[in-house]
Every structure is written in structure tokens, then in C-alpha cells.
Amino acid sequence: MQSRIRAGTETPDKILFTPGPLSTAMSTKEAMLRDLGSRDSAFLDIVQQIRTKLLDIAGVSQSGGFEAILMQGSGTFGVESVISSVLPRHGRLLVAINGAYGRRIAHIARVLDISVAELQVAENRPISSADVEAAIRKHPEADCVAVVHCETTTGLVNPVTDIGKVVAAKGKMFVVDAMSSFGVLPLDLEAAGVDYLITSANKCFEGVPGFAVIIARTTALQEAEGRARSVCLDIHSQWQGLESSGQFRFTPPTHAILAFERTLASFEEEGGVPGRRARYEANRERLLRGMTRLGFRTYLEPGHQSCIITTFMYPSHPRFSFESFYNLLNDRGFVIYPGKLTHSDCFRIGTVGQVFPQDVENLLVAIAQTLEEMGVDMEDC
Ligand SMILES: *Cc1c(COP(=O)(O)O)cnc(C)c1O
């Protein structure tokens, strides 16, 4: 684990137990101390290498019919880029929803005036392939089905491969928001019939925010030509730009890309997908054990829970207020995340980013101290 103290400062950065932005390595931050022109051949080489490595990590290749495209903006810009670019003019979208990020996809479609049908499933259970099959039967006109892999609202994982098989059998396009899972939770794109997968530089790859990553099936991308409803977010044109000149169409996030090159090297040094997952699993395991010992209850059943983020219920104690809990932890150098559920009072603790089991242990000590300071005796809950 590297130092969290920057040269010229005395206090370390707070540790972010959030799903993004998240804590990044000093080496990742240091990689940004460079100005590179957007047409500099060194920069273009880095972009090309990153695109190839992303395909490797996804277990696909250019010759095997997939493309990796980088799109400026946060992760949601990547989702909006796909939704706005790939549906035919009067195309229809079916979104399977069991959390806030699924709802966001439907919202994006509605704003774009794309006809959207929603399959709503309870936030505490995975969407099954049977749910999706029934929804397609009800909405046979849908051209495309979208689903979230790890619903970061709760940390729940949806069975994307099973769902994808149903979607492919019905001949629909398949879009997966794998923002918080890609690089950690394995997903076989071919087996799942994924046409577009979206992730971000600033989730499990532990890069700095600045761009989204789209892994796309080449045949699907080719069909997307001329379908864009936005100039900036046009995925086909972005791909054409990267392929023809190696360049972004508009100013690229050069520093974020330099940071990403460095963080991808660390990802490989850590052992790629299984290596990173092992650390996140160790973080989550410590967190769950410690929080259970303190008397907290999780929102999800353990079997549905991923190692990305865990949702805990508010303790039912009159002196507990999330606001004070959050602020007191923040004062101690630990940043947690509020809940985002429709029907339950909860908060979330992420176990991704440059966070290690020892950091989790330190967080648990801070949580125990904070509860004591607030006068919340968990025995009384
Ligand atoms: C983080 C996240 C997003 C949005 O990413 P931003 O970078 O905040 O735009 C979308 N979907 C999922 C599942 C996420 O976890």
C-alpha cells in the first residue's frame, strides 16, 4: 500500500468508501503531472494500448468482433452515449430495473424521446431471465433490452448471462451497464450476447474520473451509423475518429488517460480481474464481519450481495441520525455514502478503490467511536 500523503502537505487524503469518485493510488495521481498534446504520437499510442488492453480484460478482441471506445465524461455520459446512439429512429427500449441506475437508463431514454418500457423488480432481489422473458413477451416491439450488472444502489448482482441468453434468443440488442462491476465480477460477453457494455475509468479500475469506456460488438456499432441523437455523445463517430486518426473528436481528458495507463498497469500487477476481486472480497468480508459484530443489519440477503458496496439499515435508535454519523466519520477521515433506496432508510459503504483490509479495520474502529460519541448503544436497537 502506498502513502496517502502528498508532497508538501501534512495530512493524508480522506479514505473514500464510496463507489466513485474513489480513492486512487499516489502513482495514478502522479502519472498526471504531464502535459501532452492531443495529437502527440506518445498520447495516441497510449490511447491505442488502453483500447487493446480493455478488450483483453473483457476477454474479447478487435479481430474477434469487438471494439473499445473511450468517451469523455463520467460513467453516465457513457450510458447516455449508447442509449442515444444505437437505437433506430423510432426504436423502442425495454429497461429491466431494480435500483436507481436502472431507473436512470429509463430516464435518459425518456428525455431523448425514445419510447421506453420498464420491467420493475423489487430492489432487494435480482432480475431473473424469466422476468425478462415475460417482459419481452409483453413488449415484443422492443428493439433493445438494457440492464445493470451490479446495481450499485444496493450492491446486488443481476444474472446478466442468463438474461442475455433470453434477449439474444428474441433477437434484441443487449446493453449492459457494468459500471461498478467490470474488472472485478467476471462476465463472458460472448456467452451473455452483450452488444454494448459500459464502464468507467473511475470504478474498479481505480482511475481518476474523466471518461467512460464502451465495449461494443462491431456489427452493432456499424448499424449505429447515423442514428445518433447527440453530436458529442455519438458513439459511432467517436469510434470512427479513434479508428481513422487515433484521436478523440474533441479535447480528450489527457491527464485522466495518463492516469488510466498507470492504473491499468497496477491492475495487472495485482493479478487482473481475480487479483482485484480477491482484495475487494477481503475488504467486504472484514466489513461485514465487523459491522455485524457492531450490531448492524444488511439490506440484502448475503447471497445477492457483491463485494463492490454493501447497504446497511439505519439502527433503530432515537439518537441515530445519518447526518451526524456521516459528519463525525468524515471528521475522522472516512467518507461513506448515503442510501438511495425508495422504501428503506439505509446507508452504503463501498469496498472498492485504493482501500485495503487494514483501512476497513480502521473504519470499523472509527464507526464504533462515532456510535459511542452519538450515544447510540446498538444493544438498545
Ligand atoms: C457509478 C455508476 C453509474 C454512474 O456513473 P457516474 O460516473 O456517476 O456518471 C452508472 N451505473 C452504475 C451501475 C454505477 O455504479
Side-chain angles (χ1 to χ4, degrees):
M1 182 165 43
Q2 308 173 52
S3 163
R4 294 186 193 276
I5 306 194
R6 277 168 290 128
T9 62
E10 272 147 35
T11 42
D13 285 342
K14 289 171 186 166
I15 304 181
L16 305 179
F17 289 89
T18 60
L22 31 77
S23 295
T24 58
M26 195 59 71
S27 58
T28 301
K29 291 186 269 280
E30 281 166 357
M32 293 188 287
L33 299 174
R34 235 185 125 186
D35 298 321
L36 269 179
S38 59
R39 292 159 188 256
D40 190 313
S41 63
F43 178 69
L44 301 185
D45 287 348
I46 291 170
V47 170
Q48 190 46 48
Q49 281 163 24
I50 287 174
R51 292 179 63 211
T52 305
K53 267 192 192 157
L54 285 166
L55 292 176
D56 277 353
I57 295 165
V60 293
S61 64
Q62 223 175 10
S63 58
F66 282 88
E67 293 286 341
I69 302 150
L70 312 182
M71 180 62 79
Q72 295 97 323
S74 83
T76 307
F77 289 62
V79 176
E80 184 152 330
S81 167
V82 170
I83 300 299
S84 65
S85 299
V86 306
L87 280 146
R89 252 322 115 178
H90 299 288
R92 289 154 191 263
L93 178 69
L94 170 64
V95 190
I97 301 173
N98 57 348
Y101 294 98
R103 280 196 294 280
R104 188 179 293 176
I105 298 176
H107 179 55
I108 288 172
R110 275 194 298 271
V111 168
L112 292 165
D113 216 11
I114 291 168
S115 156
V116 51
E118 297 182 10
L119 158 64
Q120 298 266 5
V121 170
E123 287 174 321
N124 64 352
R125 78 160 177 92
I127 297 160
S128 71
S129 54
D131 293 334
V132 174
E133 193 161 21
I136 296 177
R137 215 172 301 127
K138 207 168 139 199
H139 301 283
E141 72 286 356
D143 299 278
C144 176
V145 176
V147 70
V148 178
H149 189 195
C150 171
E151 215 352 311
T152 322
T153 311
T154 52
L156 181 149
V157 184
N158 285 314
V160 167
T161 305
D162 295 348
I163 294 171
K165 286 188 173 140
V166 168
V167 174
K170 302 279 181 190
K172 314 286 185 197
M173 200 190 310
F174 191 35
V175 172
V176 178
D177 171 350
M179 207 70 70
S180 62
S181 57
F182 189 74
V184 166
L185 304 184
L187 176 62
D188 181 334
L189 270 71
E190 286 289 12
V194 176
D195 292 303
Y196 293 94
L197 175 147
I198 305 120
T199 188
S200 153
N202 182 237
K203 293 261 163 132
C204 296
F205 287 124
E206 304 182 355
V208 304
F211 62 94
V213 171
I214 293 131
I215 309 229
R217 193 181 292 277
T218 314
T219 48
L221 258 182
Q222 284 159 343
E223 283 173 18
E225 183 169 9
R227 289 180 175 176
R229 291 153 178 85
S230 153
V231 172
C232 293
L233 297 176
D234 180 345
I235 193 76
H236 183 273
S237 296
Q238 186 86 343
W239 172 50
Q240 289 297 298
L242 288 168
E243 280 300 294
S244 59
S245 63
Q247 292 176 24
F248 282 73
R249 292 170 301 151
F250 312 120
T251 303
T254 45
H255 299 81
I257 284 175
L258 288 168
F260 196 69
E261 180 196 27
R262 175 58 239 181
T263 200
L264 270 189
S266 305
F267 178 80
E268 280 167 0
E269 285 155 22
E270 196 171 13
V273 174
R276 182 135 304 175
R277 187 168 68 250
R279 173 161 58 87
Y280 289 177
E281 291 277 9
N283 288 343
R284 190 270 304 259
E285 208 252 319
R286 299 258 182 133
L287 178 72
L288 212 52
R289 193 153 20 100
M291 290 294 276
T292 307
R293 202 180 304 129
L294 286 171
F296 284 94
R297 285 187 306 112
T298 57
Y299 170 71
L300 291 180
E301 283 172 33
H304 298 333
Q305 184 76 57
S306 67
C307 60
I308 312 291
I309 193 165
T310 305
T311 306
F312 296 97
M313 306 304 294
Y314 284 1
S316 54
H317 191 288
R319 305 195 69 155
F320 182 85
S321 114
F322 178 73
E323 176 113 350
S324 332
F325 185 63
Y326 177 92
N327 288 331
L328 291 167
L329 281 173
N330 190 64
D331 293 345
R332 288 180 162 89
F334 301 95
V335 180
I336 63 166
Y337 215 57
K340 212 176 198 169
L341 285 170
T342 326
H343 303 296
S344 303
D345 280 335
C346 60
F347 63 91
R348 292 177 286 172
I349 299 183
T351 31
V352 298
Q354 277 290 291
V355 169
F356 297 80
Q358 186 55 52
D359 297 318
V360 176
E361 296 293 351
N362 298 343
L363 169 70
L364 290 163
V365 171
I367 289 177
Q369 288 168 347
T370 299
L371 290 172
E372 196 175 332
E373 191 178 335
M374 291 172 72
V376 175
D377 185 347
M378 297 292 284
E379 304 268 293
D380 299 338
C381 293

